[in-house]
Amino acid sequence: MFQNKTIIITGGASGIGAATVTLFSRAGANVYILDKKKPTDYSSLSIHYLECDVSNADQVKSAIYTILQKNPKIDYLFCNAGIHLFANIEDSSFEAIQKVFATNLLGTIYCLQQVLPSMKQQRFGSIVLMASDQAFIAKEQCAIYGASKAAIAQLAKSTALDYAQYGIRVNCVCPGTIDTPMYQAVLEQFQQKSGLSVSSIRDQVAEKLPLRRVGKPEEVAQVVSFLCSEAASFMTGALVNVDGGYTIQ
């Protein structure tokens, strides 16, 4: 489906990003991973890794320039890189707040700034931004993280409007609770604060979801694939829930 197409995936070394890398690679795409950490396995000839901290505008500019020197065009961009902060406002340090917004929001903006001119010139492109179910609802101890994700959702809608005339579609995937390294870290933090066992917390989280289970990274990757594909050719500015029904309750 994506034969001879090029996609950039930020935060592609683990979790949802890694699952999306695998899916696109198997579908024939030329995949570029931008991440601070090196993937454990990217042995496929169609997968390329560039060390990049998306919160650093110069690193993003350099990485995208390198990719464009090797490829005539960039077909897809999945801005997936992000970090979490489990804390209320009072417990959120200035440094932690800066880091969350620099990575989640500014990192997304930097990638858009570098990729959009190329897509604009070729008059084609499909972009998927990574928000969260917290673009719609609030969760405890997530004020800063939720604010960064809500901002990304708004960014997707505004960018979709600005660039529709150039044949560029911009959509946003909004996952709920997905079994990723980030989720594992949050579980451990909550365990330390609550004193409950991790298995007990897992069960409680699953019970709150209508589908009664936590999602898999591969399930989000499938939605990203759909949004990039021609099957979604009349979709732009959409915020797509992948949350096991959590936000419809």
Side-chain angles (χ1 to χ4, degrees):
M1 178 165 58
F2 298 114
Q3 199 71 38
N4 300 320
K5 301 292 187 180
T6 297
I7 181 170
I8 296 173
I9 300 176
T10 69
S14 62
I16 293 169
T20 309
V21 167
T22 299
L23 191 156
F24 272 84
S25 176
R26 289 176 177 172
N30 189 29
V31 183
Y32 282 88
I33 299 171
L34 302 189
D35 204 312
K36 290 193 297 184
K37 57 185 178 183
K38 190 174 183 178
T40 54
D41 178 25
Y42 64 109
S43 54
S44 170
L45 293 177
S46 66
I47 301 174
H48 316 276
Y49 167 67
L50 292 175
E51 183 177 354
C52 178
D53 179 352
V54 297
S55 69
N56 185 309
D58 290 336
Q59 287 189 27
V60 172
K61 183 177 182 179
S62 176
I64 304 300
Y65 177 81
T66 297
I67 294 169
L68 285 171
Q69 292 302 299
K70 298 179 179 180
N71 297 273
K73 60 188 177 72
I74 296 169
D75 300 285
Y76 315 113
L77 169 66
F78 178 31
C79 292
N80 165 74
I83 58 175
H84 194 272
L85 177 60
F86 186 73
N88 62 30
I89 288 289
E90 289 180 280
D91 294 335
S92 301
S93 69
F94 182 66
E95 291 75 20
I97 293 170
Q98 282 190 313
K99 189 174 181 181
V100 168
F101 276 95
T103 302
N104 297 1
L105 181 58
L106 292 181
T108 298
I109 292 171
Y110 296 153
C111 289
L112 288 171
Q113 286 180 326
Q114 296 304 317
V115 170
L116 280 168
S118 175
M119 289 185 171
K120 189 175 170 182
Q121 186 175 20
Q122 68 201 28
R123 303 192 73 80
F124 170 81
S126 183
I127 297 170
V128 179
L129 306 187
M130 173 61 82
S132 162
D133 56 358
Q134 292 183 59
F136 304 100
I137 51 93
K139 291 183 178 179
E140 294 180 357
Q141 303 292 314
C142 289
I144 302 304
Y145 174 78
S148 74
K149 291 300 184 177
I152 289 172
Q154 182 59 44
L155 183 66
K157 291 186 286 186
S158 295
T159 308
L161 278 177
D162 290 340
Y163 289 87
Q165 61 183 309
Y166 303 107
I168 301 169
R169 296 187 298 107
V170 186
N171 292 293
C172 196
V173 65
C174 302
T177 308
I178 309 296
D179 194 2
T180 64
M182 183 184 291
Y183 172 59
Q184 299 298 329
V186 173
L187 281 180
E188 291 172 7
Q189 288 177 299
F190 190 73
Q191 189 275 330
Q192 292 172 6
K193 289 190 176 184
S194 68
L196 298 171
S197 68
V198 171
S199 61
S200 175
I201 298 169
R202 280 178 175 276
D203 291 341
Q204 288 181 25
V205 170
E207 280 299 311
K208 292 179 180 179
L209 304 175
L211 292 183
R212 296 296 187 269
R213 68 174 179 84
V214 169
K216 303 173 184 176
E218 292 78 12
E219 292 174 309
V220 182
Q222 289 286 352
V223 177
V224 175
S225 172
F226 166 72
L227 290 173
C228 285
S229 75
E230 285 303 303
S233 58
F234 201 54
M235 289 181 67
T236 195
L239 309 182
V240 184
N241 295 346
V242 191
D243 62 1
Y246 185 74
T247 57
I248 63 172
Q249 300 179 98

